[in-house]
């Protein structure tokens, strides 16, 4: 199955590359910051059509077209372009994210870094890979030496879950913080040992289904800010190399 997920991710990626900086149409969802482009919709349609042809009867949960439930033990969780705002502005940091669950457990996932042509892929129990290279999380043990990454929700002006205060606090407790604009890529880069930790709130299942598995299969840890297990429906996530996880939890939870 993982080869099929990689294949369809690259099919969607080709649609995205062809549409990049092409004068595509843009619509707004909840506010001026929450965009969807016609390329998102075209890429998602390609993925869903591929699933129908190759895995008939499987259920689908997709960002743009919603839920398509069937009497199947398999659920495909799809974000056709994770990082739509970057894509719309011509910033080449965005990805295709596809996770597959079997009876509620994620068993395979791919985050395809479109413009770098890197497929980050993982299967439950079989490790995580960047194309053909096996990935492992970093070995950083001290939070003050860590490079972290985070993101902000579209309603950041409302400051949900103290996102602004937590960002400022972590600036003083790390080597640096980056904000790339694609949660799926953030997960992938933690899995690949580039970032030591990643936190964000108000995510959706399609933002974290594949990425969570990547980090775990690369030897990392994914929880909420209290260190508790999460599902793909949790809105608060913390991913790390595991070595700094407890300290990250402590610092994030210290913000009141």
């Amino acid at each position: 199955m993982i080869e099929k997920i990689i294949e369809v991710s690259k099919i969607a990626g080709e649609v995205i590359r062809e549409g990049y900086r092409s004068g595509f149409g843009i619509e707004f969802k909840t506010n001026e910051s929450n965009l969807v482009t016609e390329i998102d919709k075209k890429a998602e349609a390609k993925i869903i059509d591929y699933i129908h042809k190759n895995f008939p009867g499987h259920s689908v949960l997709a960002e743009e077209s919603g839920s398509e439930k069937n009497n199947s033990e398999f659920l495909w969780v799809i974000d056709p372009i994770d990082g739509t705002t970057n894509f719309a502005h011509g910033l080449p940091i965005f990805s295709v994210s596809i996770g597959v669950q079997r009876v509620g457990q994620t068993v395979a996932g791919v985050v395809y870094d479109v413009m770098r042509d890197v497929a980050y892929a993982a299967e439950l129990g079989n490790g995580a890979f960047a194309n053909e290279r096996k990935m492992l999380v970093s070995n950083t043990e001290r939070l003050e030496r860590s490079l972290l990454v985070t993101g902000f929700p579209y309603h950041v002006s409302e400051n949900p879950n103290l996102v602004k205060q937590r960002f400022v606090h972590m600036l003083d407790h790390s080597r640096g913080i980056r904000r790339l604009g694609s949660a799926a890529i953030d997960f992938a880069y933690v899995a690949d040992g580039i970032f030591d930790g990643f936190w964000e709130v108000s995510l959706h299942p399609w933002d974290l289904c594949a990425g969570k598995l990547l980090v775990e299969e690369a030897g990392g840890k994914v929880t909420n800010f209290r260190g508790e297990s999460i599902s793909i429906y949790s809105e608060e996530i913390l991913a790390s190399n595991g070595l700094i996880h407890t300290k990250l939890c402590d610092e994030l939870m210290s913000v009141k």
Side-chain angles (χ1 to χ4, degrees), residues 207-225:
D207 296 316
L208 64 96
C209 186
K212 179 176 182 290
L213 184 65
L214 287 176
V215 172
E216 292 169 341
E217 286 296 318
K221 189 171 184 178
V222 184
T223 70
N224 61 20
F225 295 169

Side-chain angles (χ1 to χ4, degrees), residues 1 6 37 39 52 71 123 133 175 180 193 210 228 250:
M1 179 177 283
I6 292 171
T37 72
I39 308 302
H52 287 164
N71 293 323
E123 286 184 291
R133 176 175 52 82
R175 176 167 285 166
L180 301 186
E228 301 163 342
D250 291 344

Side-chain angles (χ1 to χ4, degrees), residues 56-253:
H58 282 198
S59 297
V60 171
L61 176 60
E63 179 176 13
E64 309 307 338
S65 56
S67 179
E68 179 185 300
K69 293 182 178 179
N70 297 305
N71 293 323
S72 172
E73 60 184 354
F74 289 97
L75 173 67
W76 291 63
V77 186
I78 302 163
D79 192 342
I81 304 180
D82 187 67
T84 296
T85 299
N86 287 353
F87 175 78
H89 284 267
L91 179 63
I93 305 174
F94 42 81
S95 59
V96 178
S97 179
I98 303 175
V100 177
Q101 291 203 314
R102 185 177 186 182
V103 196
Q105 182 178 36
T106 306
V107 295
V110 171
V111 172
Y112 181 50
D113 192 337
V114 175
M115 302 306 282
R116 293 176 59 238
D117 191 27
V118 179
Y120 297 94
E123 286 184 291
L124 184 64
N126 288 324
F129 296 82
N131 290 339
E132 302 300 320
R133 176 175 52 82
K134 186 174 177 60
M135 294 194 294
L136 292 173
V137 293
S138 73
N139 58 8
T140 302
E141 297 181 349
R142 295 174 58 183
L143 184 57
E144 60 269 25
R145 293 182 178 177
S146 64
L147 181 63
L148 307 177
V149 65
T150 191
F152 298 110
Y154 292 117
H155 58 304
V156 63
S157 61
E158 300 171 16
N159 198 28
N161 211 331
L162 301 176
V163 292
K164 296 179 183 179
Q165 291 91 328
R166 284 194 161 109
F167 177 78
V168 173
H169 180 82
M170 294 311 299
L171 281 172
D172 294 331
H173 291 82
S174 64
R175 176 167 285 166
I177 301 174
R178 302 293 182 261
R179 195 272 197 248
L180 301 186
S182 170
I185 286 181
D186 295 338
F187 275 115
Y189 287 6
V190 172
D192 205 14
I194 298 169
F195 293 126
D196 304 298
F198 162 51
W199 83 94
E200 193 164 346
V201 300
S202 300
L203 291 176
H204 299 283
W206 44 82
D207 296 316
L208 64 96
C209 186
K212 179 176 182 290
L213 184 65
L214 287 176
V215 172
E216 292 169 341
E217 286 296 318
K221 189 171 184 178
V222 184
T223 70
N224 61 20
F225 295 169
R226 292 169 296 284
E228 301 163 342
S229 297
I230 63 170
S231 75
I232 65 169
Y233 301 97
S234 300
E235 293 192 359
E236 179 185 278
I237 71 96
L238 172 62
S240 81
N241 64 5
L243 300 173
I244 61 169
H245 204 87
T246 299
K247 185 63 174 174
L248 274 169
C249 287
D250 291 344
E251 293 299 339
L252 288 169
M253 290 302 296

